[in-house]
Amino acid sequence: MYVGGRVPLHFQEDFCGTGLLSTEWLHSDARRTAIGLDLDVEALDWCMENNVNKVGADVSSRIFLFHGNVLQPLEAKLVNVATQYLMQNVTLGDSEDDSPDHKLMKDFQFPARDIVCAFNYSCCCLHTRQELVSYFKHALSALNKKGGIFVMDLYGGTSAEHELRMQRKFPNFTYVWEQAEFDIIKRKTRISLHFNLHKPQRKIRHAFSYSWRLWSLPEIKDCLEEAGFQSVHFWIRHMPDSEDIRSTYGLAAGRDIKYEEVTSFQQQDSWNAYIVGVA
Ligand SMILES: C[S@@+](CC[C@H](N)C(=O)[O-])C[C@H]1O[C@@H](n2cnc3c(N)ncnc32)[C@H](O)[C@@H]1O
């Protein structure tokens, strides 16, 4: 709705991890392109092996995965050299090193992105205001100025600011989300994801661990505006109370509660927000 009625085609998934959204994005329209960027080369390799290499060349040629820091995106290194070929509307700029093994993001002239996203609370990986503003400036510079949008998510609520442990049961495994501590001076917390596999029975403790700063919504808004976004919008829904969902089955808990665009929202035990910045 913010993209001015144009069909969004060009997508960038920052902090993409295993790049699932990027690969999904490509499926429904042959004109779509996706760029994924992450610091974790193992996650990108997993994406290549399990997502990109399993789809046809038509799809895999439209995804560009980069290994690097969202704070220096132009220096990020292309990892899926073998699967992508140069599309009609993506050209290589003049580069001193023409070896395809060393292509950096700055060597490409990608079409301006219609959507840049940072999901799964990834902006909390950035710990200082300076980093956050700098990242938002990079996101803005990648966006189409005719209505391109940046989207990120954030969680919060009274239950989000102390130790917290929740588990979700699936047929073959149980997934445990643990927030180990919450420092109210630094607003820092340590998140660990554990998996208990059922067959064979095995625990994978700390499969993923993150040090997060839990930003507040007004801090995000201020930083987006400081970075130059034209407007900022909040879509929020309250989540089921953390006491009630300490242990749930599958992904269904609270699915019926819809997100609404709001300018004011009263504190809850738990809420989830999507924040949209218009370029
Ligand atoms: C919470 S995970 C989210 C992964 C993915 N978006 C998802 O939903 O599964 C955060 C990701 O951000 C990456 N990351 C953290 N700091 C980063 C940075 N400065 N630049 C690029 N990626 C970063 C981590 O490697 C990790 O894959």
Side-chain angles (χ1 to χ4, degrees), residues 13-21 37-41 43 66-72 117-123 125-126 153 193 208 210 212:
E13 185 182 9
D14 287 338
F15 307 93
C16 67
T18 55
L20 183 63
L21 276 186
L37 171 61
D38 201 283
L39 262 186
D40 182 353
V41 79
F66 287 94
H67 175 219
N69 193 327
V70 297
L71 298 174
Q72 292 173 306
C117 74
F119 282 143
N120 221 343
Y121 317 119
S122 295
C123 284
C125 294
L126 304 177
D153 55 359
L193 309 183
F208 297 95
Y210 304 105
W212 278 356

PDB file of all heavy atoms in Angstrom, residues 13-21 37-41 43 66-72 117-123 125-126 153 193 208 210 212, ligand 1:
ATOM      1  N   GLU A  13      16.648  -8.554   1.485  1.00  0.00           N
ATOM      2  CA  GLU A  13      16.465  -9.094   2.829  1.00  0.00           C
ATOM      3  C   GLU A  13      17.783  -8.923   3.580  1.00  0.00           C
ATOM      4  O   GLU A  13      18.724  -9.684   3.370  1.00  0.00           O
ATOM      5  CB  GLU A  13      16.082 -10.588   2.736  1.00  0.00           C
ATOM      6  CG  GLU A  13      15.746 -11.219   4.064  1.00  0.00           C
ATOM      7  CD  GLU A  13      15.415 -12.723   3.941  1.00  0.00           C
ATOM      8  OE1 GLU A  13      15.617 -13.304   2.849  1.00  0.00           O
ATOM      9  OE2 GLU A  13      14.981 -13.295   4.951  1.00  0.00           O
ATOM     10  N   ASP A  14      17.849  -7.898   4.436  1.00  0.00           N
ATOM     11  CA  ASP A  14      19.045  -7.711   5.257  1.00  0.00           C
ATOM     12  C   ASP A  14      18.968  -8.670   6.438  1.00  0.00           C
ATOM     13  O   ASP A  14      17.878  -9.077   6.838  1.00  0.00           O
ATOM     14  CB  ASP A  14      19.123  -6.259   5.738  1.00  0.00           C
ATOM     15  CG  ASP A  14      19.518  -5.307   4.609  1.00  0.00           C
ATOM     16  OD1 ASP A  14      20.111  -5.776   3.621  1.00  0.00           O
ATOM     17  OD2 ASP A  14      19.225  -4.103   4.725  1.00  0.00           O
ATOM     18  N   PHE A  15      20.109  -9.033   7.004  1.00  0.00           N
ATOM     19  CA  PHE A  15      20.161 -10.027   8.097  1.00  0.00           C
ATOM     20  C   PHE A  15      19.410 -11.288   7.632  1.00  0.00           C
ATOM     21  O   PHE A  15      18.597 -11.842   8.374  1.00  0.00           O
ATOM     22  CB  PHE A  15      19.477  -9.501   9.362  1.00  0.00           C
ATOM     23  CG  PHE A  15      19.940  -8.166   9.872  1.00  0.00           C
ATOM     24  CD1 PHE A  15      19.295  -6.989   9.503  1.00  0.00           C
ATOM     25  CD2 PHE A  15      21.010  -8.077  10.755  1.00  0.00           C
ATOM     26  CE1 PHE A  15      19.700  -5.758  10.004  1.00  0.00           C
ATOM     27  CE2 PHE A  15      21.419  -6.841  11.264  1.00  0.00           C
ATOM     28  CZ  PHE A  15      20.751  -5.684  10.887  1.00  0.00           C
ATOM     29  N   CYS A  16      19.659 -11.728   6.393  1.00  0.00           N
ATOM     30  CA  CYS A  16      18.773 -12.727   5.772  1.00  0.00           C
ATOM     31  C   CYS A  16      18.919 -14.126   6.350  1.00  0.00           C
ATOM     32  O   CYS A  16      18.051 -14.973   6.142  1.00  0.00           O
ATOM     33  CB  CYS A  16      18.997 -12.767   4.270  1.00  0.00           C
ATOM     34  SG  CYS A  16      20.622 -13.403   3.813  1.00  0.00           S
ATOM     35  N   GLY A  17      20.020 -14.415   7.066  1.00  0.00           N
ATOM     36  CA  GLY A  17      20.199 -15.771   7.598  1.00  0.00           C
ATOM     37  C   GLY A  17      20.131 -16.780   6.468  1.00  0.00           C
ATOM     38  O   GLY A  17      20.900 -16.715   5.502  1.00  0.00           O
ATOM     39  N   THR A  18      19.163 -17.683   6.551  1.00  0.00           N
ATOM     40  CA  THR A  18      19.054 -18.733   5.537  1.00  0.00           C
ATOM     41  C   THR A  18      18.239 -18.289   4.319  1.00  0.00           C
ATOM     42  O   THR A  18      17.907 -19.123   3.466  1.00  0.00           O
ATOM     43  CB  THR A  18      18.421 -19.994   6.148  1.00  0.00           C
ATOM     44  OG1 THR A  18      17.177 -19.615   6.742  1.00  0.00           O
ATOM     45  CG2 THR A  18      19.321 -20.615   7.200  1.00  0.00           C
ATOM     46  N   GLY A  19      17.891 -17.021   4.262  1.00  0.00           N
ATOM     47  CA  GLY A  19      17.324 -16.441   3.038  1.00  0.00           C
ATOM     48  C   GLY A  19      15.997 -17.022   2.584  1.00  0.00           C
ATOM     49  O   GLY A  19      15.669 -16.972   1.392  1.00  0.00           O
ATOM     50  N   LEU A  20      15.226 -17.514   3.528  1.00  0.00           N
ATOM     51  CA  LEU A  20      13.966 -18.158   3.135  1.00  0.00           C
ATOM     52  C   LEU A  20      13.016 -17.175   2.450  1.00  0.00           C
ATOM     53  O   LEU A  20      12.420 -17.486   1.419  1.00  0.00           O
ATOM     54  CB  LEU A  20      13.288 -18.769   4.374  1.00  0.00           C
ATOM     55  CG  LEU A  20      11.997 -19.533   4.083  1.00  0.00           C
ATOM     56  CD1 LEU A  20      12.285 -20.730   3.184  1.00  0.00           C
ATOM     57  CD2 LEU A  20      11.336 -19.992   5.375  1.00  0.00           C
ATOM     58  N   LEU A  21      12.907 -15.968   3.021  1.00  0.00           N
ATOM     59  CA  LEU A  21      11.980 -14.990   2.433  1.00  0.00           C
ATOM     60  C   LEU A  21      12.400 -14.638   1.013  1.00  0.00           C
ATOM     61  O   LEU A  21      11.565 -14.514   0.123  1.00  0.00           O
ATOM     62  CB  LEU A  21      11.979 -13.701   3.265  1.00  0.00           C
ATOM     63  CG  LEU A  21      11.093 -13.639   4.484  1.00  0.00           C
ATOM     64  CD1 LEU A  21      11.140 -12.235   5.065  1.00  0.00           C
ATOM     65  CD2 LEU A  21       9.667 -14.008   4.126  1.00  0.00           C
ATOM     66  N   LEU A  37      21.557 -10.442   2.475  1.00  0.00           N
ATOM     67  CA  LEU A  37      22.829  -9.990   3.056  1.00  0.00           C
ATOM     68  C   LEU A  37      22.912 -10.460   4.500  1.00  0.00           C
ATOM     69  O   LEU A  37      21.982 -10.240   5.286  1.00  0.00           O
ATOM     70  CB  LEU A  37      22.880  -8.448   2.989  1.00  0.00           C
ATOM     71  CG  LEU A  37      24.017  -7.739   3.735  1.00  0.00           C
ATOM     72  CD1 LEU A  37      25.379  -8.163   3.201  1.00  0.00           C
ATOM     73  CD2 LEU A  37      23.858  -6.219   3.604  1.00  0.00           C
ATOM     74  N   ASP A  38      24.016 -11.134   4.830  1.00  0.00           N
ATOM     75  CA  ASP A  38      24.186 -11.601   6.215  1.00  0.00           C
ATOM     76  C   ASP A  38      25.672 -11.769   6.522  1.00  0.00           C
ATOM     77  O   ASP A  38      26.485 -12.028   5.637  1.00  0.00           O
ATOM     78  CB  ASP A  38      23.467 -12.939   6.430  1.00  0.00           C
ATOM     79  CG  ASP A  38      23.179 -13.202   7.904  1.00  0.00           C
ATOM     80  OD1 ASP A  38      24.109 -13.592   8.642  1.00  0.00           O
ATOM     81  OD2 ASP A  38      22.024 -13.015   8.321  1.00  0.00           O
ATOM     82  N   LEU A  39      25.975 -11.665   7.816  1.00  0.00           N
ATOM     83  CA  LEU A  39      27.354 -11.842   8.315  1.00  0.00           C
ATOM     84  C   LEU A  39      27.754 -13.301   8.409  1.00  0.00           C
ATOM     85  O   LEU A  39      28.934 -13.609   8.488  1.00  0.00           O
ATOM     86  CB  LEU A  39      27.431 -11.299   9.754  1.00  0.00           C
ATOM     87  CG  LEU A  39      27.947  -9.912  10.037  1.00  0.00           C
ATOM     88  CD1 LEU A  39      28.038  -9.705  11.541  1.00  0.00           C
ATOM     89  CD2 LEU A  39      29.317  -9.698   9.407  1.00  0.00           C
ATOM     90  N   ASP A  40      26.754 -14.176   8.464  1.00  0.00           N
ATOM     91  CA  ASP A  40      27.014 -15.580   8.785  1.00  0.00           C
ATOM     92  C   ASP A  40      27.092 -16.406   7.500  1.00  0.00           C
ATOM     93  O   ASP A  40      26.072 -16.752   6.897  1.00  0.00           O
ATOM     94  CB  ASP A  40      25.878 -16.084   9.687  1.00  0.00           C
ATOM     95  CG  ASP A  40      26.083 -17.520  10.121  1.00  0.00           C
ATOM     96  OD1 ASP A  40      27.027 -18.173   9.632  1.00  0.00           O
ATOM     97  OD2 ASP A  40      25.276 -17.999  10.945  1.00  0.00           O
ATOM     98  N   VAL A  41      28.316 -16.729   7.100  1.00  0.00           N
ATOM     99  CA  VAL A  41      28.483 -17.415   5.818  1.00  0.00           C
ATOM    100  C   VAL A  41      27.915 -18.835   5.867  1.00  0.00           C
ATOM    101  O   VAL A  41      27.445 -19.363   4.857  1.00  0.00           O
ATOM    102  CB  VAL A  41      29.968 -17.378   5.374  1.00  0.00           C
ATOM    103  CG1 VAL A  41      30.805 -18.409   6.091  1.00  0.00           C
ATOM    104  CG2 VAL A  41      30.093 -17.505   3.873  1.00  0.00           C
ATOM    105  N   ALA A  43      25.128 -19.713   7.350  1.00  0.00           N
ATOM    106  CA  ALA A  43      23.687 -19.609   7.067  1.00  0.00           C
ATOM    107  C   ALA A  43      23.467 -19.402   5.573  1.00  0.00           C
ATOM    108  O   ALA A  43      22.550 -19.979   4.973  1.00  0.00           O
ATOM    109  CB  ALA A  43      23.078 -18.462   7.866  1.00  0.00           C
ATOM    110  N   PHE A  66      24.796 -12.094  -0.433  1.00  0.00           N
ATOM    111  CA  PHE A  66      26.046 -11.414  -0.091  1.00  0.00           C
ATOM    112  C   PHE A  66      26.435 -11.693   1.349  1.00  0.00           C
ATOM    113  O   PHE A  66      25.587 -11.659   2.245  1.00  0.00           O
ATOM    114  CB  PHE A  66      25.906  -9.899  -0.283  1.00  0.00           C
ATOM    115  CG  PHE A  66      25.876  -9.485  -1.724  1.00  0.00           C
ATOM    116  CD1 PHE A  66      24.666  -9.323  -2.384  1.00  0.00           C
ATOM    117  CD2 PHE A  66      27.062  -9.277  -2.424  1.00  0.00           C
ATOM    118  CE1 PHE A  66      24.637  -8.946  -3.720  1.00  0.00           C
ATOM    119  CE2 PHE A  66      27.041  -8.900  -3.761  1.00  0.00           C
ATOM    120  CZ  PHE A  66      25.826  -8.734  -4.413  1.00  0.00           C
ATOM    121  N   HIS A  67      27.735 -11.942   1.530  1.00  0.00           N
ATOM    122  CA  HIS A  67      28.292 -12.155   2.859  1.00  0.00           C
ATOM    123  C   HIS A  67      28.944 -10.854   3.311  1.00  0.00           C
ATOM    124  O   HIS A  67      29.909 -10.393   2.694  1.00  0.00           O
ATOM    125  CB  HIS A  67      29.339 -13.284   2.798  1.00  0.00           C
ATOM    126  CG  HIS A  67      30.050 -13.489   4.092  1.00  0.00           C
ATOM    127  ND1 HIS A  67      31.392 -13.766   4.171  1.00  0.00           N
ATOM    128  CD2 HIS A  67      29.597 -13.440   5.361  1.00  0.00           C
ATOM    129  CE1 HIS A  67      31.736 -13.889   5.434  1.00  0.00           C
ATOM    130  NE2 HIS A  67      30.668 -13.695   6.179  1.00  0.00           N
ATOM    131  N   GLY A  68      28.402 -10.253   4.362  1.00  0.00           N
ATOM    132  CA  GLY A  68      28.998  -9.007   4.829  1.00  0.00           C
ATOM    133  C   GLY A  68      28.145  -8.369   5.901  1.00  0.00           C
ATOM    134  O   GLY A  68      27.165  -8.945   6.380  1.00  0.00           O
ATOM    135  N   ASN A  69      28.560  -7.146   6.244  1.00  0.00           N
ATOM    136  CA  ASN A  69      27.960  -6.420   7.358  1.00  0.00           C
ATOM    137  C   ASN A  69      26.940  -5.413   6.815  1.00  0.00           C
ATOM    138  O   ASN A  69      27.254  -4.674   5.873  1.00  0.00           O
ATOM    139  CB  ASN A  69      29.094  -5.687   8.090  1.00  0.00           C
ATOM    140  CG  ASN A  69      28.662  -5.157   9.425  1.00  0.00           C
ATOM    141  OD1 ASN A  69      27.515  -4.774   9.625  1.00  0.00           O
ATOM    142  ND2 ASN A  69      29.598  -5.126  10.356  1.00  0.00           N
ATOM    143  N   VAL A  70      25.764  -5.365   7.410  1.00  0.00           N
ATOM    144  CA  VAL A  70      24.762  -4.384   6.952  1.00  0.00           C
ATOM    145  C   VAL A  70      25.259  -2.952   7.136  1.00  0.00           C
ATOM    146  O   VAL A  70      24.709  -2.030   6.541  1.00  0.00           O
ATOM    147  CB  VAL A  70      23.403  -4.549   7.676  1.00  0.00           C
ATOM    148  CG1 VAL A  70      22.772  -5.890   7.375  1.00  0.00           C
ATOM    149  CG2 VAL A  70      23.527  -4.310   9.172  1.00  0.00           C
ATOM    150  N   LEU A  71      26.303  -2.778   7.963  1.00  0.00           N
ATOM    151  CA  LEU A  71      26.833  -1.430   8.172  1.00  0.00           C
ATOM    152  C   LEU A  71      27.822  -1.035   7.073  1.00  0.00           C
ATOM    153  O   LEU A  71      28.193   0.122   6.957  1.00  0.00           O
ATOM    154  CB  LEU A  71      27.507  -1.333   9.550  1.00  0.00           C
ATOM    155  CG  LEU A  71      26.559  -1.578  10.727  1.00  0.00           C
ATOM    156  CD1 LEU A  71      27.324  -1.613  12.041  1.00  0.00           C
ATOM    157  CD2 LEU A  71      25.466  -0.511  10.775  1.00  0.00           C
ATOM    158  N   GLN A  72      28.246  -2.031   6.290  1.00  0.00           N
ATOM    159  CA  GLN A  72      29.120  -1.748   5.133  1.00  0.00           C
ATOM    160  C   GLN A  72      28.664  -2.606   3.961  1.00  0.00           C
ATOM    161  O   GLN A  72      29.419  -3.447   3.462  1.00  0.00           O
ATOM    162  CB  GLN A  72      30.572  -2.092   5.473  1.00  0.00           C
ATOM    163  CG  GLN A  72      31.175  -1.173   6.505  1.00  0.00           C
ATOM    164  CD  GLN A  72      32.535  -1.660   6.931  1.00  0.00           C
ATOM    165  OE1 GLN A  72      32.688  -2.807   7.346  1.00  0.00           O
ATOM    166  NE2 GLN A  72      33.518  -0.803   6.819  1.00  0.00           N
ATOM    167  N   CYS A 117      13.968  -5.300   3.929  1.00  0.00           N
ATOM    168  CA  CYS A 117      13.427  -5.735   5.220  1.00  0.00           C
ATOM    169  C   CYS A 117      14.536  -6.194   6.161  1.00  0.00           C
ATOM    170  O   CYS A 117      15.635  -6.572   5.727  1.00  0.00           O
ATOM    171  CB  CYS A 117      12.391  -6.843   5.032  1.00  0.00           C
ATOM    172  SG  CYS A 117      13.104  -8.424   4.616  1.00  0.00           S
ATOM    173  N   ALA A 118      14.230  -6.123   7.446  1.00  0.00           N
ATOM    174  CA  ALA A 118      15.140  -6.612   8.497  1.00  0.00           C
ATOM    175  C   ALA A 118      14.244  -7.318   9.513  1.00  0.00           C
ATOM    176  O   ALA A 118      13.700  -6.670  10.411  1.00  0.00           O
ATOM    177  CB  ALA A 118      15.875  -5.443   9.141  1.00  0.00           C
ATOM    178  N   PHE A 119      14.049  -8.636   9.319  1.00  0.00           N
ATOM    179  CA  PHE A 119      13.060  -9.340  10.136  1.00  0.00           C
ATOM    180  C   PHE A 119      13.692 -10.200  11.217  1.00  0.00           C
ATOM    181  O   PHE A 119      14.900 -10.403  11.250  1.00  0.00           O
ATOM    182  CB  PHE A 119      12.166 -10.205   9.241  1.00  0.00           C
ATOM    183  CG  PHE A 119      11.118  -9.391   8.522  1.00  0.00           C
ATOM    184  CD1 PHE A 119      10.752  -9.709   7.225  1.00  0.00           C
ATOM    185  CD2 PHE A 119      10.497  -8.312   9.129  1.00  0.00           C
ATOM    186  CE1 PHE A 119       9.793  -8.964   6.554  1.00  0.00           C
ATOM    187  CE2 PHE A 119       9.535  -7.559   8.473  1.00  0.00           C
ATOM    188  CZ  PHE A 119       9.183  -7.892   7.185  1.00  0.00           C
ATOM    189  N   ASN A 120      12.789 -10.722  12.021  1.00  0.00           N
ATOM    190  CA  ASN A 120      13.155 -11.567  13.150  1.00  0.00           C
ATOM    191  C   ASN A 120      13.975 -10.765  14.165  1.00  0.00           C
ATOM    192  O   ASN A 120      14.943 -11.263  14.715  1.00  0.00           O
ATOM    193  CB  ASN A 120      13.893 -12.829  12.678  1.00  0.00           C
ATOM    194  CG  ASN A 120      13.437 -14.047  13.434  1.00  0.00           C
ATOM    195  OD1 ASN A 120      12.825 -13.920  14.498  1.00  0.00           O
ATOM    196  ND2 ASN A 120      13.751 -15.222  12.921  1.00  0.00           N
ATOM    197  N   TYR A 121      13.577  -9.516  14.336  1.00  0.00           N
ATOM    198  CA  TYR A 121      14.129  -8.633  15.375  1.00  0.00           C
ATOM    199  C   TYR A 121      15.617  -8.359  15.175  1.00  0.00           C
ATOM    200  O   TYR A 121      16.341  -8.042  16.110  1.00  0.00           O
ATOM    201  CB  TYR A 121      13.871  -9.239  16.771  1.00  0.00           C
ATOM    202  CG  TYR A 121      12.478  -9.805  16.896  1.00  0.00           C
ATOM    203  CD1 TYR A 121      12.253 -11.150  17.159  1.00  0.00           C
ATOM    204  CD2 TYR A 121      11.375  -8.981  16.707  1.00  0.00           C
ATOM    205  CE1 TYR A 121      10.968 -11.663  17.235  1.00  0.00           C
ATOM    206  CE2 TYR A 121      10.086  -9.485  16.779  1.00  0.00           C
ATOM    207  CZ  TYR A 121       9.893 -10.826  17.041  1.00  0.00           C
ATOM    208  OH  TYR A 121       8.618 -11.326  17.104  1.00  0.00           O
ATOM    209  N   SER A 122      16.058  -8.471  13.901  1.00  0.00           N
ATOM    210  CA  SER A 122      17.497  -8.410  13.641  1.00  0.00           C
ATOM    211  C   SER A 122      18.111  -7.052  13.951  1.00  0.00           C
ATOM    212  O   SER A 122      19.316  -6.968  14.220  1.00  0.00           O
ATOM    213  CB  SER A 122      17.770  -8.781  12.184  1.00  0.00           C
ATOM    214  OG  SER A 122      17.418 -10.124  11.960  1.00  0.00           O
ATOM    215  N   CYS A 123      17.318  -5.969  13.903  1.00  0.00           N
ATOM    216  CA  CYS A 123      17.910  -4.658  14.207  1.00  0.00           C
ATOM    217  C   CYS A 123      18.403  -4.607  15.646  1.00  0.00           C
ATOM    218  O   CYS A 123      19.214  -3.741  15.998  1.00  0.00           O
ATOM    219  CB  CYS A 123      16.910  -3.530  13.931  1.00  0.00           C
ATOM    220  SG  CYS A 123      16.755  -3.232  12.162  1.00  0.00           S
ATOM    221  N   CYS A 125      20.354  -6.628  16.822  1.00  0.00           N
ATOM    222  CA  CYS A 125      21.782  -7.005  16.772  1.00  0.00           C
ATOM    223  C   CYS A 125      22.655  -5.757  16.733  1.00  0.00           C
ATOM    224  O   CYS A 125      23.863  -5.840  16.965  1.00  0.00           O
ATOM    225  CB  CYS A 125      22.084  -7.845  15.529  1.00  0.00           C
ATOM    226  SG  CYS A 125      21.293  -9.456  15.479  1.00  0.00           S
ATOM    227  N   LEU A 126      22.083  -4.619  16.367  1.00  0.00           N
ATOM    228  CA  LEU A 126      22.852  -3.369  16.348  1.00  0.00           C
ATOM    229  C   LEU A 126      22.675  -2.714  17.713  1.00  0.00           C
ATOM    230  O   LEU A 126      21.547  -2.528  18.171  1.00  0.00           O
ATOM    231  CB  LEU A 126      22.342  -2.455  15.227  1.00  0.00           C
ATOM    232  CG  LEU A 126      22.358  -3.094  13.830  1.00  0.00           C
ATOM    233  CD1 LEU A 126      21.772  -2.146  12.795  1.00  0.00           C
ATOM    234  CD2 LEU A 126      23.773  -3.511  13.431  1.00  0.00           C
ATOM    235  N   ASP A 153      10.721  -5.683  12.209  1.00  0.00           N
ATOM    236  CA  ASP A 153       9.817  -6.059  13.294  1.00  0.00           C
ATOM    237  C   ASP A 153      10.489  -5.829  14.644  1.00  0.00           C
ATOM    238  O   ASP A 153      11.716  -5.675  14.739  1.00  0.00           O
ATOM    239  CB  ASP A 153       9.317  -7.506  13.146  1.00  0.00           C
ATOM    240  CG  ASP A 153      10.446  -8.516  13.022  1.00  0.00           C
ATOM    241  OD1 ASP A 153      11.632  -8.124  13.033  1.00  0.00           O
ATOM    242  OD2 ASP A 153      10.148  -9.713  12.918  1.00  0.00           O
ATOM    243  N   LEU A 193      18.347 -19.951  21.113  1.00  0.00           N
ATOM    244  CA  LEU A 193      17.359 -20.864  20.544  1.00  0.00           C
ATOM    245  C   LEU A 193      17.888 -22.284  20.722  1.00  0.00           C
ATOM    246  O   LEU A 193      19.007 -22.589  20.307  1.00  0.00           O
ATOM    247  CB  LEU A 193      17.139 -20.584  19.051  1.00  0.00           C
ATOM    248  CG  LEU A 193      16.837 -19.134  18.672  1.00  0.00           C
ATOM    249  CD1 LEU A 193      16.565 -19.021  17.174  1.00  0.00           C
ATOM    250  CD2 LEU A 193      15.643 -18.606  19.449  1.00  0.00           C
ATOM    251  N   PHE A 208      21.346 -21.268  18.149  1.00  0.00           N
ATOM    252  CA  PHE A 208      21.613 -19.879  17.754  1.00  0.00           C
ATOM    253  C   PHE A 208      21.596 -19.031  19.020  1.00  0.00           C
ATOM    254  O   PHE A 208      20.731 -19.220  19.879  1.00  0.00           O
ATOM    255  CB  PHE A 208      20.533 -19.352  16.791  1.00  0.00           C
ATOM    256  CG  PHE A 208      20.487 -20.099  15.495  1.00  0.00           C
ATOM    257  CD1 PHE A 208      19.600 -21.161  15.323  1.00  0.00           C
ATOM    258  CD2 PHE A 208      21.334 -19.754  14.450  1.00  0.00           C
ATOM    259  CE1 PHE A 208      19.564 -21.867  14.131  1.00  0.00           C
ATOM    260  CE2 PHE A 208      21.306 -20.452  13.255  1.00  0.00           C
ATOM    261  CZ  PHE A 208      20.414 -21.515  13.095  1.00  0.00           C
ATOM    262  N   TYR A 210      22.125 -14.855  20.353  1.00  0.00           N
ATOM    263  CA  TYR A 210      22.294 -13.462  19.930  1.00  0.00           C
ATOM    264  C   TYR A 210      22.385 -12.557  21.141  1.00  0.00           C
ATOM    265  O   TYR A 210      21.705 -12.779  22.144  1.00  0.00           O
ATOM    266  CB  TYR A 210      21.087 -12.990  19.099  1.00  0.00           C
ATOM    267  CG  TYR A 210      20.803 -13.844  17.891  1.00  0.00           C
ATOM    268  CD1 TYR A 210      19.724 -14.724  17.888  1.00  0.00           C
ATOM    269  CD2 TYR A 210      21.614 -13.765  16.764  1.00  0.00           C
ATOM    270  CE1 TYR A 210      19.457 -15.516  16.781  1.00  0.00           C
ATOM    271  CE2 TYR A 210      21.360 -14.550  15.656  1.00  0.00           C
ATOM    272  CZ  TYR A 210      20.280 -15.423  15.672  1.00  0.00           C
ATOM    273  OH  TYR A 210      20.024 -16.200  14.581  1.00  0.00           O
ATOM    274  N   TRP A 212      21.310  -8.977  22.100  1.00  0.00           N
ATOM    275  CA  TRP A 212      20.399  -7.978  21.529  1.00  0.00           C
ATOM    276  C   TRP A 212      20.255  -6.761  22.420  1.00  0.00           C
ATOM    277  O   TRP A 212      20.265  -6.866  23.650  1.00  0.00           O
ATOM    278  CB  TRP A 212      18.991  -8.579  21.361  1.00  0.00           C
ATOM    279  CG  TRP A 212      18.853  -9.395  20.111  1.00  0.00           C
ATOM    280  CD1 TRP A 212      19.782  -9.582  19.137  1.00  0.00           C
ATOM    281  CD2 TRP A 212      17.694 -10.146  19.718  1.00  0.00           C
ATOM    282  NE1 TRP A 212      19.272 -10.393  18.151  1.00  0.00           N
ATOM    283  CE2 TRP A 212      17.995 -10.750  18.487  1.00  0.00           C
ATOM    284  CE3 TRP A 212      16.432 -10.356  20.289  1.00  0.00           C
ATOM    285  CZ2 TRP A 212      17.082 -11.554  17.806  1.00  0.00           C
ATOM    286  CZ3 TRP A 212      15.530 -11.154  19.615  1.00  0.00           C
ATOM    287  CH2 TRP A 212      15.849 -11.753  18.385  1.00  0.00           C
TER     288      TRP A 212
HETATM  289  C1  LIG B   1      17.751 -13.161  14.419  1.00  0.00           C
HETATM  290  S1  LIG B   1      18.688 -13.730  13.054  1.00  0.00           S
HETATM  291  C2  LIG B   1      17.506 -13.537  11.761  1.00  0.00           C
HETATM  292  C3  LIG B   1      17.802 -14.358  10.545  1.00  0.00           C
HETATM  293  C4  LIG B   1      16.696 -14.343   9.476  1.00  0.00           C
HETATM  294  N1  LIG B   1      16.268 -13.005   9.145  1.00  0.00           N
HETATM  295  C5  LIG B   1      15.526 -15.173   9.939  1.00  0.00           C
HETATM  296  O1  LIG B   1      14.448 -14.642  10.128  1.00  0.00           O
HETATM  297  O2  LIG B   1      15.705 -16.377  10.106  1.00  0.00           O
HETATM  298  C6  LIG B   1      19.814 -12.398  12.850  1.00  0.00           C
HETATM  299  C7  LIG B   1      20.751 -12.559  11.664  1.00  0.00           C
HETATM  300  O3  LIG B   1      21.470 -11.338  11.513  1.00  0.00           O
HETATM  301  C8  LIG B   1      22.816 -11.622  11.164  1.00  0.00           C
HETATM  302  N2  LIG B   1      23.594 -10.425  11.553  1.00  0.00           N
HETATM  303  C9  LIG B   1      23.823  -9.938  12.793  1.00  0.00           C
HETATM  304  N3  LIG B   1      24.505  -8.783  12.733  1.00  0.00           N
HETATM  305  C10 LIG B   1      24.698  -8.521  11.412  1.00  0.00           C
HETATM  306  C11 LIG B   1      25.333  -7.470  10.704  1.00  0.00           C
HETATM  307  N4  LIG B   1      25.904  -6.441  11.348  1.00  0.00           N
HETATM  308  N5  LIG B   1      25.346  -7.520   9.351  1.00  0.00           N
HETATM  309  C12 LIG B   1      24.774  -8.558   8.687  1.00  0.00           C
HETATM  310  N6  LIG B   1      24.145  -9.576   9.311  1.00  0.00           N
HETATM  311  C13 LIG B   1      24.116  -9.564  10.655  1.00  0.00           C
HETATM  312  C14 LIG B   1      23.143 -12.901  11.907  1.00  0.00           C
HETATM  313  O4  LIG B   1      24.201 -13.589  11.281  1.00  0.00           O
HETATM  314  C15 LIG B   1      21.803 -13.650  11.805  1.00  0.00           C
HETATM  315  O5  LIG B   1      21.757 -14.474  10.663  1.00  0.00           O
END
